[in-house]
Amino acid sequence: MRTGMMERTEIKSIRERNLWAQFDALQLGSGWSEEDLEKYQILIEDAYGDSHPGSVHLDRISQQAAYGVFESGGHPAQYHITDVCDGCAQGHDGMNMVLLSRETICDMLEVHGRFIPWDGVILSSSCDKAIPAYLKAAARLNIPAIFIPGGSMRSGPDETTSLVAGDISLRQRRNVRITQKEIRDYKLTGCPSVGACSFLGTACTMQCMAEALGLALPGSALVPATMRELLAYGRASGKKMVELIKQQIRPVDILTKEAFYNAFVVHSAIGGSTNAFIHLPAIAQELGIHLDVEVLNHINEAVPHIANIYPSGQHLAEAFWFAGGIPKVQSYLQEYLDLDVVTVTGKTLRENLDAIEQSGYYDRYIGYLHNFGLCREDVICRPDKAASTGSVIIMKGNLAPEGAVMKYAACVPEMWHHIGRAVVFDCEEAAHDAVVNHKITPGEIIIIRYEGPRGSGMPEMLMTTEAISCDETLNGRVSLITDGRFSGATRGAAIGHVSPEAAVGGPIAYVKTGDLVEYDVKKKTIDVVGIQGRICGKEQAEEILAQREKTEERKKKEYTGALGRYTRMACSAMEGAGY
């Protein structure tokens, strides 16, 4: 905790108000009273909008946060920056815009956060890119801040998720074994409520990361979005904000290197999205912290994988929350965590876990889990009962000298080591068409390149990975390697973030169809080991790739506007893919 905390701080905007009388006049014209001008002024920013189920309910959470601010003697101002949804961008060029939206949202929030000298900021979002955008902006602004996760969507029929779309879409494209009734039934039930998609994709993962970092109240990640508890967390966050201002606890005090490594531990234990290894380094960079993502490999070797959550497990996000959520995971893994880190409660993680245990939190919601016929151990097991450690690894080799990422927890062990013939595509759409049209055979390794941050904005490959997983002849027999990224829902042998990417001359740009690629989870390696069907060894293959680099031109994609700026400026995926 910071030294020299004050019981009361001055209103930050006093000097500016005295410089220009219109400042007060404008706020009075917006409905403030003269008394309000003397209170702590708190920006409440959310991703409210009509773009997807994760955004449409956030205004209600923010309203409760505003009530909490009022109750504590502050004055709130509500702003909105709507985010976008990967699910609506599947299969077309809209997917290229999704990752860059993180940077755009962050920049816009910085604009909102700096044009007035706010005393504090409350942030609320549910989904993939808005959460890291808000955490990046909180770090950048470095004023007292608290994040409110937007909660998780309720489960579909038979505990299904919106990802039933993968099977539906493949059969629809092939026009086999499907009826219009089945398609319509899915559309009417696939997303049954507001909130983030109910599997442990990037949206739910980043809610968990916000809590694991200490910037969200304990237990607030993945609350079922239709339950009253979500609004209660909103109200509590508003009240807590004024305390943070008085104590002058800022993101720099919470988002320490120790806090980020705590988040890595939690991520390994729950089997979170690979996208966290784009987002966490990008957030850390805002504070001048360099995260060595290879440390993840050491964490994975030690930390038990204790959460049984889809896609690397069986159950859904709301079941995880009913079972105790992030606090229960942290309580089980105390020996792996730095318990002295400061959080938005104003207390340490150790103090938070003690308080939760004494409050009866773990018993309060367990009965909801019983409604599904489940007990806590079905969803979050004790570390000594864990069947494996970790969930995600960083691989390196002549195909990915800077690194690549694989979520092995969502892949059958039989595909943890594989040598296969490369089938190379320069965009995802072509690869997806090949899968749909039965042009991929078992044992092959699909390579999709020029889809990294500098290539096309780093779209996700979910449509193709789902097509593979939903094809009985390919599922568990075909791998996919890309310099793009994956959905947090990705299943199977999927290796992404290959760096350097093709667009900047990485080795992946010079692989040809027919070359042989080998990857090995246990060895954490990924290499070209053969040329045109003949094994030649890693060193010789590396020499041939280098020769190809001298004679072959890379493909160039030209974009304008926001995507053009992003593809010109973005850094490596292994460094966070920001700019």
Side-chain angles (χ1 to χ4, degrees), residues 102-318:
R102 182 190 71 180
E103 307 304 309
T104 305
I105 292 168
C106 176
D107 288 347
M108 195 65 231
L109 206 159
E110 182 187 10
V111 170
H112 290 171
R114 292 200 192 280
F115 92 105
I116 285 176
W118 301 101
D119 296 290
V121 58
I122 299 173
L123 306 167
S124 183
S125 57
S126 305
C127 291
D128 301 38
K129 309 308 172 295
I131 297 173
Y134 282 10
L135 299 184
K136 276 167 60 75
R140 192 178 294 179
L141 293 171
N142 200 30
I143 59 176
I146 190 166
F147 180 78
I148 312 170
S152 60
M153 185 181 288
R154 307 311 298 266
S155 60
D158 300 313
E159 286 197 80
T160 55
T161 76
S162 60
L163 282 183
V164 172
D167 175 61
I168 292 284
S169 297
L170 180 63
R171 288 187 286 127
Q172 193 174 6
R173 283 286 302 275
R174 289 177 171 172
N175 195 27
V176 295
R177 295 183 292 105
I178 196 163
T179 65
Q180 288 302 310
K181 179 181 183 300
E182 186 177 3
I183 295 169
R184 181 169 183 263
D185 285 348
Y186 161 71
K187 290 179 178 180
L188 292 175
T189 61
C191 296
S193 79
V194 297
C197 290
S198 54
F199 47 85
L200 193 61
T202 308
C204 285
T205 295
M206 291 312 297
Q207 289 192 35
C208 293
M209 294 299 94
E211 184 177 334
L213 285 167
L215 213 60
L217 290 179
S220 60
L222 307 189
V223 178
T226 59
M227 293 183 68
R228 64 161 297 278
E229 281 75 11
L230 186 61
L231 300 181
Y233 275 112
R235 180 75 69 95
S237 297
K239 296 176 74 171
K240 182 61 65 175
M241 184 75 254
V242 174
E243 294 180 28
L244 291 176
I245 294 170
K246 290 178 179 179
Q247 295 177 310
Q248 276 301 286
I249 298 175
R250 299 177 295 151
V252 70
D253 306 304
I254 296 171
L255 299 177
T256 60
K257 181 170 284 191
E258 292 77 14
F260 281 102
Y261 288 126
N262 279 355
F264 278 146
V265 169
V266 170
H267 184 281
S268 295
I270 65 176
S273 166
T274 53
N275 285 311
F277 298 96
I278 299 173
H279 300 319
L280 290 174
I283 297 163
Q285 285 177 9
E286 298 291 345
L287 293 157
I289 297 173
H290 173 71
L291 296 180
D292 181 1
V293 291
E294 285 193 75
V295 171
L296 171 67
N297 287 336
H298 302 297
I299 291 173
N300 270 270
E301 290 169 358
V303 175
H305 184 191
I306 62 174
N308 183 11
I309 321 172
Y310 188 83
S312 56
Q314 297 172 289
H315 303 297
L316 303 185
E318 64 178 2

Side-chain angles (χ1 to χ4, degrees), residues 349-411:
L349 175 57
R350 187 191 312 277
E351 291 170 321
N352 288 346
L353 293 177
D354 289 343
I356 286 174
E357 186 72 46
Q358 294 168 15
S359 73
Y361 173 84
Y362 297 127
D363 297 328
R364 187 173 303 128
Y365 302 108
I366 196 67
Y368 288 106
L369 195 58
H370 299 162
N371 291 344
F372 296 93
L374 300 172
C375 65
R376 178 171 289 127
E377 288 292 309
D378 293 324
V379 185
I380 306 174
C381 71
R382 294 183 178 277
D384 61 345
K385 302 293 184 182
S388 62
T389 60
S391 54
V392 177
I393 56 166
I394 307 297
M395 300 169 137
K396 285 190 174 182
N398 66 26
L399 186 59
E402 293 178 4
V405 179
M406 180 181 184
K407 184 175 180 178
Y408 62 87
C411 172

Side-chain angles (χ1 to χ4, degrees), residues 499-558:
S499 302
E501 61 177 291
V504 300
I508 193 173
Y510 305 107
V511 179
K512 294 184 178 181
T513 294
D515 292 344
L516 301 177
V517 175
E518 178 181 17
Y519 64 84
D520 192 314
V521 168
K522 291 185 177 179
K523 294 181 180 179
K524 307 176 184 65
T525 56
I526 178 169
D527 295 281
V528 177
V529 295
I531 301 298
Q532 294 302 289
R534 297 182 63 182
I535 292 285
C536 65
K538 300 175 185 178
E539 292 76 14
Q540 186 178 352
E542 188 171 345
E543 291 175 4
I544 293 172
L545 292 175
Q547 291 170 7
R548 289 176 180 174
E549 182 179 5
K550 295 175 182 178
T551 59
E552 298 178 11
E553 290 189 10
R554 299 196 303 273
K555 297 185 184 301
K556 294 182 179 179
K557 298 181 181 180
E558 299 293 339

